[in-house]
Amino acid sequence: MPRNGNSSQDRVIDPTDTKSKILDAAEELFMEHGFEATSLRLITTAAGVNLAAVNYHFGSKEELFQAVLTRRLDPMNQDRMQLLSAYESASNGKPLTCEKILAAMFIPALKLARDHQQGGKNFLRLLGRAYADPAPFIREFLSSQYREMIARFRSAFSFALPHIPREELSWRLHFVMGALSYTLAGADMLKIISQIHPEEATNDELLLKRLAPFLAAGLRSPSPAEDGGHHLFQET
Amino acid sequence: MPRNGNSSQDRVIDPTDTKSKILDAAEELFMEHGFEATSLRLITTAAGVNLAAVNYHFGSKEELFQAVLTRRLDPMNQDRMQLLSAYESASNGKPLTCEKILAAMFIPALKLARDHQQGGKNFLRLLGRAYADPAPFIREFLSSQYREMIARFRSAFSFALPHIPREELSWRLHFVMGALSYTLAGADMLKIISQIHPEEATNDELLLKRLAPFLAAGLRSPSPAEDGGHHLFQET
DNA sequence: GCTCAATTGAAACGACCGTTTGAATTTACG
DNA sequence: CGTAAATTCAAACGGTCGTTTCAATTGAGC
């Protein structure tokens, strides 16, 4: 009895085996109902497998959730870092533009959103929910999954924007991640905020072509320490 | 038997009555565990009231959740619109700056975060979770709560930035809402993204003094239609 | 073909869920 | 004070939950 294991595919991935069927069904159902509200019975019924298969292959519901996240999140963040390295190698030691660094963040996310016709979009919504979940096992998992990639991109931005203090840059990177994840995950909020035509709202590439310039302008803006001392939050 | 009702306090709010005790406990527990994972038994035990009191005073668990949201969200959005109107009245028909409009959005949220020492922060985190929840009853509720406020602020930005096409502005307003809600709600994500000192991360006012200039720069940036045709998402 | 481990299967475990019921209690008021 | 409405209470309703157990089945290597 393996009881878990095979954490980073020791064998080839077979989309018809029990583990993959569970992961596919869990991804869609976790996205739709959240972690706590999705029962293992719902997942195993949708996957066409026995209820006990989840505990046999993944150990527990929490470990299944982590497996669902890591299956796509880990490759996506690896892609981001590889793409960033490729851009840097091609620049001959010159700093990259903010747009270029943002492209290294966005393109792998876009690829994920497009690749698996429904799975990709489902996963990004699931990720958006996980960001807002305070459950310790989720937060610690996301932290470990993101730490390396975030450090890598902060260095790149620091090199591209040497006049921005490192701490200010950490904040701006936080804002970038917020707008990106919110935009990729919360398509439904668009219907609240605007009367944007639905057929356009589904075009993620166009969306990010609008988001990247928006964020690049914010990243390049003067550091608050050198803006002449505006007093924004003074009433009247 | 009233069976619900009293939707916008017909009587004075008494922080020691059963309804308020339930709302306070529910706000904290919904924030911590999410809607589905928070049981009415947990809420009523924490509030020190009988289990049946929720169904008696609010009708159902879903209606209790909406009552928790509307108690603070509705006043906050009213404050935002009143503040925006006050700024506009003081400007003698001249367009407001982006920073000023953003201040009208941020200040009421900041007031909420500070007012109720723990309740305020709890509520904003709860709101962040609700944004990412696809449950129809949550999405429809948020949509109805935000529609008027969003329309009001889109008009203000449209007046302040007449050269930005209205559709582009809708997208940028979406990005603003995303970065703001993500920032206000997801304080824990900061620990993932940066090594920002915790004692500073809790200072929301400083946080928004960094966020507002960042977003204002993005809002003012040239419209993509007139940026000369960059090709950001061309690989290589 | 036999053996033994890997996997699947059906059933049950105790626990907790949202809601309802109807009686007991408190409150408001003529 | 008496009475009718509002509120609180304990208990139970039918269900669903994650997990475990153990027998049945499968599959690979000798």
Side-chain angles (χ1 to χ4, degrees):
Chain A
M1 63 294 263
R3 304 290 290 176
N4 216 346
N6 184 23
S7 59
S8 56
Q9 47 274 60
D10 306 337
R11 292 281 166 273
V12 291
I13 49 165
D14 176 2
T16 67
D17 68 1
T18 300
K19 280 186 82 162
S20 295
K21 284 191 290 186
I22 291 174
L23 286 172
D24 289 340
E27 181 176 81
E28 176 161 353
L29 292 168
F30 279 144
M31 179 278 299
E32 192 173 349
H33 306 109
F35 172 73
E36 312 259 13
T38 304
S39 72
L40 294 184
R41 285 168 176 82
L42 203 62
I43 293 172
T44 52
T45 299
V49 303
N50 188 270
L51 167 62
V54 168
N55 292 75
Y56 177 77
H57 285 287
F58 297 96
S60 69
K61 188 185 177 186
E62 288 194 359
E63 290 167 282
L64 168 62
F65 187 76
Q66 292 175 338
V68 168
L69 287 185
T70 204
R71 177 172 66 150
R72 304 201 196 276
L73 190 53
D74 188 55
M76 182 178 77
N77 281 340
Q78 294 293 336
D79 281 0
R80 283 169 159 171
M81 291 188 287
Q82 285 179 14
L83 195 52
L84 181 60
S85 295
Y87 287 164
E88 286 173 337
S89 299
S91 76
N92 300 322
K94 308 270 290 184
L96 297 173
T97 63
C98 286
E99 281 82 356
K100 204 74 177 172
I101 304 175
L102 288 174
M105 291 196 69
F106 289 4
I107 288 173
L110 269 185
K111 194 178 73 173
L112 186 56
R114 276 193 299 241
D115 260 14
H116 327 79
Q117 282 83 341
Q118 73 226 18
K121 299 210 68 146
N122 280 356
F123 176 75
L124 291 173
R125 295 210 56 176
L126 174 59
L127 201 53
R129 298 198 67 163
Y131 284 145
D133 200 312
F137 89 96
I138 295 180
R139 305 219 66 79
E140 287 160 18
F141 175 79
L142 286 180
S143 177
S144 67
Q145 287 280 312
Y146 271 102
R147 188 169 290 114
E148 185 187 357
M149 187 273 282
I150 290 294
R152 186 78 183 72
F153 275 80
R154 182 170 36 229
S155 295
F157 279 120
S158 187
F159 187 42
L161 301 165
H163 58 291
I164 306 288
R166 197 161 181 82
E167 186 186 307
E168 173 69 21
L169 210 49
S170 287
W171 284 107
R172 295 187 179 184
L173 187 48
H174 181 237
F175 303 150
V176 168
M177 291 292 296
L180 174 61
S181 68
Y182 186 91
T183 299
L184 285 174
D188 287 25
M189 201 60 183
L190 277 175
K191 298 170 190 155
I192 298 174
I193 286 185
S194 69
Q195 67 278 54
I196 292 168
H197 308 113
E199 70 275 9
E200 185 182 352
T202 60
N203 188 333
D204 294 290
E205 187 163 355
L206 181 56
L207 188 157
L208 292 186
K209 278 185 175 172
R210 295 173 182 276
L211 178 56
F214 178 91
L215 295 177
L219 284 163
R220 275 192 297 262
S221 67
S223 178
E226 52 186 354
D227 75 340
H230 288 205
H231 293 290
L232 170 57
F233 289 102
Q234 207 95 348
E235 308 234 1
T236 328
Chain B
M1 66 292 268
R3 304 290 290 175
N4 216 349
N6 184 24
S7 58
S8 56
Q9 48 276 57
D10 305 339
R11 292 280 168 273
V12 290
I13 48 164
D14 176 0
T16 67
D17 68 1
T18 299
K19 279 185 84 160
S20 295
K21 284 191 290 184
I22 291 175
L23 285 171
D24 289 340
E27 181 175 80
E28 176 161 354
L29 292 169
F30 279 144
M31 179 276 299
E32 193 172 349
H33 305 110
F35 173 73
E36 311 258 14
T38 304
S39 71
L40 294 183
R41 285 168 176 82
L42 203 62
I43 293 171
T44 52
T45 300
V49 304
N50 187 269
L51 168 62
V54 168
N55 289 293
Y56 177 77
H57 285 286
F58 297 95
S60 68
K61 188 184 177 186
E62 288 194 359
E63 289 168 283
L64 168 61
F65 187 76
Q66 293 175 338
V68 168
L69 287 185
T70 204
R71 177 172 64 151
R72 303 202 198 275
L73 190 53
D74 188 56
M76 181 178 76
N77 282 338
Q78 295 293 336
D79 281 358
R80 284 170 158 169
M81 291 188 288
Q82 285 180 13
L83 196 52
L84 182 59
S85 294
Y87 287 164
E88 286 174 338
S89 297
S91 75
N92 299 323
K94 309 269 291 183
L96 298 173
T97 64
C98 285
E99 281 82 355
K100 204 75 176 173
I101 304 174
L102 289 174
M105 292 195 70
F106 289 4
I107 289 174
L110 269 185
K111 193 178 74 174
L112 186 56
R114 277 194 299 243
D115 259 14
H116 328 78
Q117 283 84 342
Q118 73 224 18
K121 299 210 70 144
N122 280 357
F123 176 75
L124 291 174
R125 296 211 55 178
L126 174 59
L127 201 53
R129 298 199 67 163
Y131 284 145
D133 200 311
F137 89 93
I138 295 180
R139 305 219 67 79
E140 286 161 17
F141 176 79
L142 285 180
S143 177
S144 68
Q145 286 281 311
Y146 271 101
R147 186 168 290 115
E148 185 185 358
M149 187 272 283
I150 290 293
R152 188 74 184 72
F153 275 79
R154 182 170 35 229
S155 295
F157 278 119
S158 186
F159 187 42
L161 301 165
H163 58 292
I164 306 287
R166 198 163 182 80
E167 185 185 307
E168 173 70 21
L169 209 50
S170 287
W171 285 105
R172 296 188 178 184
L173 187 48
H174 181 237
F175 304 148
V176 168
M177 291 292 295
L180 174 61
S181 68
Y182 186 91
T183 299
L184 284 175
D188 287 23
M189 201 61 183
L190 277 175
K191 297 169 191 158
I192 298 174
I193 286 185
S194 69
Q195 67 280 53
I196 291 167
H197 308 114
E199 71 274 10
E200 186 183 350
T202 60
N203 188 333
D204 294 290
E205 186 163 355
L206 181 57
L207 188 157
L208 292 186
K209 277 185 176 172
R210 294 173 182 276
L211 178 56
F214 178 92
L215 295 177
L219 283 164
R220 275 192 298 261
S221 67
S223 180
E226 52 186 353
D227 74 342
H230 288 206
H231 294 288
L232 170 57
F233 289 103
Q234 206 95 347
E235 309 235 0
T236 328

mmCIF file of all heavy atoms in Angstrom, chain A residues 98 153-162 164-176 219-220 223, chain B residues 193-194 196 210:
data_model
loop_
_atom_site.group_PDB
_atom_site.id
_atom_site.type_symbol
_atom_site.label_atom_id
_atom_site.label_comp_id
_atom_site.label_asym_id
_atom_site.label_seq_id
_atom_site.Cartn_x
_atom_site.Cartn_y
_atom_site.Cartn_z
ATOM 1 N N CYS A 98 9.802 47.338 -17.157
ATOM 2 C CA CYS A 98 8.755 46.793 -16.298
ATOM 3 C C CYS A 98 7.791 45.933 -17.100
ATOM 4 O O CYS A 98 7.337 44.879 -16.623
ATOM 5 C CB CYS A 98 7.982 47.933 -15.630
ATOM 6 S SG CYS A 98 8.896 48.748 -14.319
ATOM 7 N N PHE A 153 11.495 37.743 -8.778
ATOM 8 C CA PHE A 153 10.933 38.898 -9.490
ATOM 9 C C PHE A 153 11.219 40.201 -8.750
ATOM 10 O O PHE A 153 11.356 41.249 -9.367
ATOM 11 C CB PHE A 153 9.426 38.701 -9.711
ATOM 12 C CG PHE A 153 9.115 37.912 -10.940
ATOM 13 C CD1 PHE A 153 9.216 36.526 -10.926
ATOM 14 C CD2 PHE A 153 8.764 38.534 -12.124
ATOM 15 C CE1 PHE A 153 8.956 35.781 -12.074
ATOM 16 C CE2 PHE A 153 8.496 37.805 -13.268
ATOM 17 C CZ PHE A 153 8.596 36.426 -13.248
ATOM 18 N N ARG A 154 11.306 40.142 -7.438
ATOM 19 C CA ARG A 154 11.649 41.372 -6.730
ATOM 20 C C ARG A 154 13.049 41.834 -7.118
ATOM 21 O O ARG A 154 13.293 43.024 -7.297
ATOM 22 C CB ARG A 154 11.552 41.183 -5.222
ATOM 23 C CG ARG A 154 11.864 42.478 -4.486
ATOM 24 C CD ARG A 154 11.540 42.410 -3.005
ATOM 25 N NE ARG A 154 11.805 41.110 -2.459
ATOM 26 C CZ ARG A 154 10.968 40.420 -1.702
ATOM 27 N NH1 ARG A 154 9.808 40.938 -1.409
ATOM 28 N NH2 ARG A 154 11.285 39.251 -1.234
ATOM 29 N N SER A 155 13.951 40.892 -7.257
ATOM 30 C CA SER A 155 15.301 41.256 -7.691
ATOM 31 C C SER A 155 15.272 41.879 -9.081
ATOM 32 O O SER A 155 15.965 42.872 -9.345
ATOM 33 C CB SER A 155 16.203 40.015 -7.692
ATOM 34 O OG SER A 155 16.364 39.533 -6.376
ATOM 35 N N ALA A 156 14.472 41.306 -9.955
ATOM 36 C CA ALA A 156 14.404 41.849 -11.318
ATOM 37 C C ALA A 156 13.859 43.267 -11.318
ATOM 38 O O ALA A 156 14.399 44.154 -11.983
ATOM 39 C CB ALA A 156 13.539 40.934 -12.184
ATOM 40 N N PHE A 157 12.805 43.499 -10.569
ATOM 41 C CA PHE A 157 12.257 44.859 -10.496
ATOM 42 C C PHE A 157 13.247 45.800 -9.834
ATOM 43 O O PHE A 157 13.364 46.974 -10.219
ATOM 44 C CB PHE A 157 10.932 44.860 -9.735
ATOM 45 C CG PHE A 157 9.758 44.453 -10.558
ATOM 46 C CD1 PHE A 157 9.004 43.345 -10.215
ATOM 47 C CD2 PHE A 157 9.383 45.172 -11.684
ATOM 48 C CE1 PHE A 157 7.900 42.964 -10.971
ATOM 49 C CE2 PHE A 157 8.292 44.802 -12.445
ATOM 50 C CZ PHE A 157 7.551 43.684 -12.090
ATOM 51 N N SER A 158 13.957 45.325 -8.844
ATOM 52 C CA SER A 158 14.929 46.171 -8.165
ATOM 53 C C SER A 158 16.019 46.617 -9.125
ATOM 54 O O SER A 158 16.492 47.753 -9.059
ATOM 55 C CB SER A 158 15.540 45.387 -6.991
ATOM 56 O OG SER A 158 16.370 46.232 -6.224
ATOM 57 N N PHE A 159 16.398 45.733 -10.024
ATOM 58 C CA PHE A 159 17.416 46.074 -11.026
ATOM 59 C C PHE A 159 16.842 47.021 -12.070
ATOM 60 O O PHE A 159 17.523 47.933 -12.558
ATOM 61 C CB PHE A 159 17.911 44.782 -11.688
ATOM 62 C CG PHE A 159 19.073 44.985 -12.611
ATOM 63 C CD1 PHE A 159 20.128 45.829 -12.281
ATOM 64 C CD2 PHE A 159 19.119 44.304 -13.824
ATOM 65 C CE1 PHE A 159 21.199 46.007 -13.139
ATOM 66 C CE2 PHE A 159 20.185 44.489 -14.697
ATOM 67 C CZ PHE A 159 21.225 45.347 -14.355
ATOM 68 N N ALA A 160 15.582 46.834 -12.401
ATOM 69 C CA ALA A 160 14.962 47.681 -13.431
ATOM 70 C C ALA A 160 14.622 49.061 -12.889
ATOM 71 O O ALA A 160 14.571 50.035 -13.652
ATOM 72 C CB ALA A 160 13.699 46.998 -13.957
ATOM 73 N N LEU A 161 14.366 49.180 -11.598
ATOM 74 C CA LEU A 161 13.935 50.450 -10.998
ATOM 75 C C LEU A 161 14.844 50.779 -9.819
ATOM 76 O O LEU A 161 14.412 50.791 -8.669
ATOM 77 C CB LEU A 161 12.481 50.325 -10.527
ATOM 78 C CG LEU A 161 11.443 49.965 -11.599
ATOM 79 C CD1 LEU A 161 10.138 49.508 -10.960
ATOM 80 C CD2 LEU A 161 11.195 51.155 -12.526
ATOM 81 N N PRO A 162 16.111 51.087 -10.087
ATOM 82 C CA PRO A 162 17.076 51.255 -8.994
ATOM 83 C C PRO A 162 16.766 52.446 -8.096
ATOM 84 O O PRO A 162 17.238 52.505 -6.959
ATOM 85 C CB PRO A 162 18.401 51.435 -9.738
ATOM 86 C CG PRO A 162 18.024 51.918 -11.095
ATOM 87 C CD PRO A 162 16.692 51.308 -11.414
ATOM 88 N N ILE A 164 13.840 53.221 -6.922
ATOM 89 C CA ILE A 164 12.747 52.920 -5.985
ATOM 90 C C ILE A 164 13.321 52.147 -4.798
ATOM 91 O O ILE A 164 13.956 51.111 -4.977
ATOM 92 C CB ILE A 164 11.656 52.075 -6.660
ATOM 93 C CG1 ILE A 164 11.164 52.739 -7.944
ATOM 94 C CG2 ILE A 164 10.500 51.822 -5.692
ATOM 95 C CD1 ILE A 164 10.318 53.960 -7.721
ATOM 96 N N PRO A 165 13.103 52.643 -3.582
ATOM 97 C CA PRO A 165 13.616 51.925 -2.402
ATOM 98 C C PRO A 165 13.076 50.495 -2.365
ATOM 99 O O PRO A 165 11.945 50.231 -2.764
ATOM 100 C CB PRO A 165 13.093 52.754 -1.218
ATOM 101 C CG PRO A 165 12.785 54.090 -1.775
ATOM 102 C CD PRO A 165 12.406 53.880 -3.208
ATOM 103 N N ARG A 166 13.904 49.617 -1.858
ATOM 104 C CA ARG A 166 13.568 48.201 -1.875
ATOM 105 C C ARG A 166 12.251 47.923 -1.142
ATOM 106 O O ARG A 166 11.456 47.084 -1.557
ATOM 107 C CB ARG A 166 14.710 47.396 -1.231
ATOM 108 C CG ARG A 166 14.659 45.916 -1.544
ATOM 109 C CD ARG A 166 16.018 45.250 -1.287
ATOM 110 N NE ARG A 166 15.969 43.829 -1.617
ATOM 111 C CZ ARG A 166 16.105 43.366 -2.854
ATOM 112 N NH1 ARG A 166 16.272 44.207 -3.864
ATOM 113 N NH2 ARG A 166 16.052 42.065 -3.086
ATOM 114 N N GLU A 167 12.025 48.645 -0.056
ATOM 115 C CA GLU A 167 10.795 48.403 0.692
ATOM 116 C C GLU A 167 9.568 48.883 -0.082
ATOM 117 O O GLU A 167 8.540 48.200 -0.119
ATOM 118 C CB GLU A 167 10.872 49.100 2.054
ATOM 119 C CG GLU A 167 9.691 48.787 2.952
ATOM 120 C CD GLU A 167 9.749 49.608 4.232
ATOM 121 O OE1 GLU A 167 10.797 49.571 4.892
ATOM 122 O OE2 GLU A 167 8.760 50.284 4.546
ATOM 123 N N GLU A 168 9.706 50.062 -0.693
ATOM 124 C CA GLU A 168 8.605 50.546 -1.534
ATOM 125 C C GLU A 168 8.313 49.557 -2.650
ATOM 126 O O GLU A 168 7.150 49.292 -2.999
ATOM 127 C CB GLU A 168 8.971 51.908 -2.129
ATOM 128 C CG GLU A 168 7.984 52.462 -3.152
ATOM 129 C CD GLU A 168 6.652 52.873 -2.537
ATOM 130 O OE1 GLU A 168 6.624 53.102 -1.309
ATOM 131 O OE2 GLU A 168 5.648 52.940 -3.269
ATOM 132 N N LEU A 169 9.351 48.952 -3.185
ATOM 133 C CA LEU A 169 9.186 47.987 -4.260
ATOM 134 C C LEU A 169 8.427 46.739 -3.787
ATOM 135 O O LEU A 169 7.625 46.165 -4.527
ATOM 136 C CB LEU A 169 10.559 47.596 -4.809
ATOM 137 C CG LEU A 169 10.627 47.204 -6.285
ATOM 138 C CD1 LEU A 169 9.921 48.249 -7.146
ATOM 139 C CD2 LEU A 169 12.071 47.053 -6.716
ATOM 140 N N SER A 170 8.669 46.348 -2.553
ATOM 141 C CA SER A 170 7.934 45.206 -2.011
ATOM 142 C C SER A 170 6.442 45.493 -1.968
ATOM 143 O O SER A 170 5.607 44.640 -2.307
ATOM 144 C CB SER A 170 8.430 44.875 -0.599
ATOM 145 O OG SER A 170 9.701 44.272 -0.651
ATOM 146 N N TRP A 171 6.112 46.698 -1.577
ATOM 147 C CA TRP A 171 4.697 47.072 -1.567
ATOM 148 C C TRP A 171 4.122 47.038 -2.977
ATOM 149 O O TRP A 171 3.034 46.512 -3.205
ATOM 150 C CB TRP A 171 4.528 48.481 -0.977
ATOM 151 C CG TRP A 171 4.666 48.516 0.506
ATOM 152 C CD1 TRP A 171 5.722 49.014 1.207
ATOM 153 C CD2 TRP A 171 3.743 48.036 1.480
ATOM 154 N NE1 TRP A 171 5.514 48.867 2.554
ATOM 155 C CE2 TRP A 171 4.300 48.269 2.758
ATOM 156 C CE3 TRP A 171 2.495 47.421 1.405
ATOM 157 C CZ2 TRP A 171 3.651 47.905 3.933
ATOM 158 C CZ3 TRP A 171 1.849 47.068 2.577
ATOM 159 C CH2 TRP A 171 2.432 47.309 3.819
ATOM 160 N N ARG A 172 4.853 47.604 -3.914
ATOM 161 C CA ARG A 172 4.300 47.681 -5.269
ATOM 162 C C ARG A 172 4.158 46.301 -5.886
ATOM 163 O O ARG A 172 3.213 46.039 -6.641
ATOM 164 C CB ARG A 172 5.195 48.592 -6.132
ATOM 165 C CG ARG A 172 5.168 50.030 -5.635
ATOM 166 C CD ARG A 172 5.894 51.002 -6.553
ATOM 167 N NE ARG A 172 5.807 52.351 -6.006
ATOM 168 C CZ ARG A 172 6.268 53.434 -6.606
ATOM 169 N NH1 ARG A 172 6.897 53.318 -7.780
ATOM 170 N NH2 ARG A 172 6.139 54.617 -6.056
ATOM 171 N N LEU A 173 5.093 45.432 -5.555
ATOM 172 C CA LEU A 173 4.973 44.053 -6.036
ATOM 173 C C LEU A 173 3.726 43.399 -5.438
ATOM 174 O O LEU A 173 3.029 42.618 -6.099
ATOM 175 C CB LEU A 173 6.238 43.275 -5.671
ATOM 176 C CG LEU A 173 6.377 41.867 -6.229
ATOM 177 C CD1 LEU A 173 6.072 41.832 -7.714
ATOM 178 C CD2 LEU A 173 7.769 41.321 -5.964
ATOM 179 N N HIS A 174 3.459 43.753 -4.208
ATOM 180 C CA HIS A 174 2.233 43.256 -3.570
ATOM 181 C C HIS A 174 0.987 43.742 -4.307
ATOM 182 O O HIS A 174 0.056 42.978 -4.564
ATOM 183 C CB HIS A 174 2.207 43.717 -2.115
ATOM 184 C CG HIS A 174 1.009 43.235 -1.357
ATOM 185 N ND1 HIS A 174 0.144 44.091 -0.727
ATOM 186 C CD2 HIS A 174 0.524 41.999 -1.134
ATOM 187 C CE1 HIS A 174 -0.821 43.392 -0.147
ATOM 188 N NE2 HIS A 174 -0.609 42.117 -0.377
ATOM 189 N N PHE A 175 0.987 45.015 -4.675
ATOM 190 C CA PHE A 175 -0.159 45.549 -5.420
ATOM 191 C C PHE A 175 -0.294 44.855 -6.771
ATOM 192 O O PHE A 175 -1.416 44.574 -7.229
ATOM 193 C CB PHE A 175 0.011 47.056 -5.617
ATOM 194 C CG PHE A 175 0.173 47.824 -4.339
ATOM 195 C CD1 PHE A 175 0.926 49.001 -4.307
ATOM 196 C CD2 PHE A 175 -0.409 47.384 -3.160
ATOM 197 C CE1 PHE A 175 1.089 49.712 -3.125
ATOM 198 C CE2 PHE A 175 -0.250 48.101 -1.973
ATOM 199 C CZ PHE A 175 0.500 49.262 -1.962
ATOM 200 N N VAL A 176 0.833 44.593 -7.410
ATOM 201 C CA VAL A 176 0.800 43.919 -8.708
ATOM 202 C C VAL A 176 0.186 42.534 -8.577
ATOM 203 O O VAL A 176 -0.715 42.155 -9.339
ATOM 204 C CB VAL A 176 2.227 43.813 -9.293
ATOM 205 C CG1 VAL A 176 2.253 42.863 -10.482
ATOM 206 C CG2 VAL A 176 2.726 45.195 -9.718
ATOM 207 N N LEU A 219 4.300 51.084 -11.198
ATOM 208 C CA LEU A 219 5.636 50.664 -10.753
ATOM 209 C C LEU A 219 6.669 51.752 -10.989
ATOM 210 O O LEU A 219 7.589 51.941 -10.184
ATOM 211 C CB LEU A 219 6.043 49.379 -11.484
ATOM 212 C CG LEU A 219 5.385 48.089 -10.982
ATOM 213 C CD1 LEU A 219 5.533 46.970 -12.003
ATOM 214 C CD2 LEU A 219 5.987 47.668 -9.647
ATOM 215 N N ARG A 220 6.543 52.470 -12.093
ATOM 216 C CA ARG A 220 7.543 53.482 -12.453
ATOM 217 C C ARG A 220 7.303 54.823 -11.756
ATOM 218 O O ARG A 220 8.151 55.711 -11.850
ATOM 219 C CB ARG A 220 7.530 53.697 -13.974
ATOM 220 C CG ARG A 220 8.377 52.720 -14.767
ATOM 221 C CD ARG A 220 8.525 53.201 -16.183
ATOM 222 N NE ARG A 220 7.227 53.258 -16.849
ATOM 223 C CZ ARG A 220 6.765 52.303 -17.651
ATOM 224 N NH1 ARG A 220 7.501 51.243 -17.891
ATOM 225 N NH2 ARG A 220 5.583 52.423 -18.218
ATOM 226 N N SER A 223 8.848 57.629 -6.261
ATOM 227 C CA SER A 223 8.748 57.099 -4.908
ATOM 228 C C SER A 223 8.107 58.134 -3.995
ATOM 229 O O SER A 223 8.384 59.322 -4.113
ATOM 230 C CB SER A 223 10.143 56.741 -4.400
ATOM 231 O OG SER A 223 10.075 56.262 -3.083
ATOM 232 N N ILE B 193 4.927 37.680 0.321
ATOM 233 C CA ILE B 193 5.528 38.427 -0.776
ATOM 234 C C ILE B 193 6.767 39.188 -0.356
ATOM 235 O O ILE B 193 7.662 39.415 -1.144
ATOM 236 C CB ILE B 193 4.460 39.378 -1.377
ATOM 237 C CG1 ILE B 193 3.483 38.542 -2.197
ATOM 238 C CG2 ILE B 193 5.076 40.451 -2.226
ATOM 239 C CD1 ILE B 193 2.473 39.336 -2.939
ATOM 240 N N SER B 194 6.831 39.603 0.866
ATOM 241 C CA SER B 194 7.956 40.451 1.217
ATOM 242 C C SER B 194 8.365 40.251 2.660
ATOM 243 O O SER B 194 7.645 39.633 3.438
ATOM 244 C CB SER B 194 7.580 41.916 1.005
ATOM 245 O OG SER B 194 6.614 42.295 1.955
ATOM 246 N N ILE B 196 8.466 42.600 4.730
ATOM 247 C CA ILE B 196 8.062 43.852 5.355
ATOM 248 C C ILE B 196 7.876 43.640 6.861
ATOM 249 O O ILE B 196 7.344 42.634 7.291
ATOM 250 C CB ILE B 196 6.753 44.359 4.718
ATOM 251 C CG1 ILE B 196 7.038 44.793 3.281
ATOM 252 C CG2 ILE B 196 6.172 45.523 5.517
ATOM 253 C CD1 ILE B 196 5.789 45.009 2.470
ATOM 254 N N ARG B 210 0.761 54.426 0.103
ATOM 255 C CA ARG B 210 1.582 53.850 -0.965
ATOM 256 C C ARG B 210 0.716 53.369 -2.119
ATOM 257 O O ARG B 210 1.100 53.455 -3.282
ATOM 258 C CB ARG B 210 2.389 52.666 -0.415
ATOM 259 C CG ARG B 210 3.424 53.059 0.619
ATOM 260 C CD ARG B 210 4.055 51.826 1.241
ATOM 261 N NE ARG B 210 5.017 52.157 2.278
ATOM 262 C CZ ARG B 210 6.291 52.461 2.045
ATOM 263 N NH1 ARG B 210 6.730 52.483 0.806
ATOM 264 N NH2 ARG B 210 7.105 52.746 3.037
#
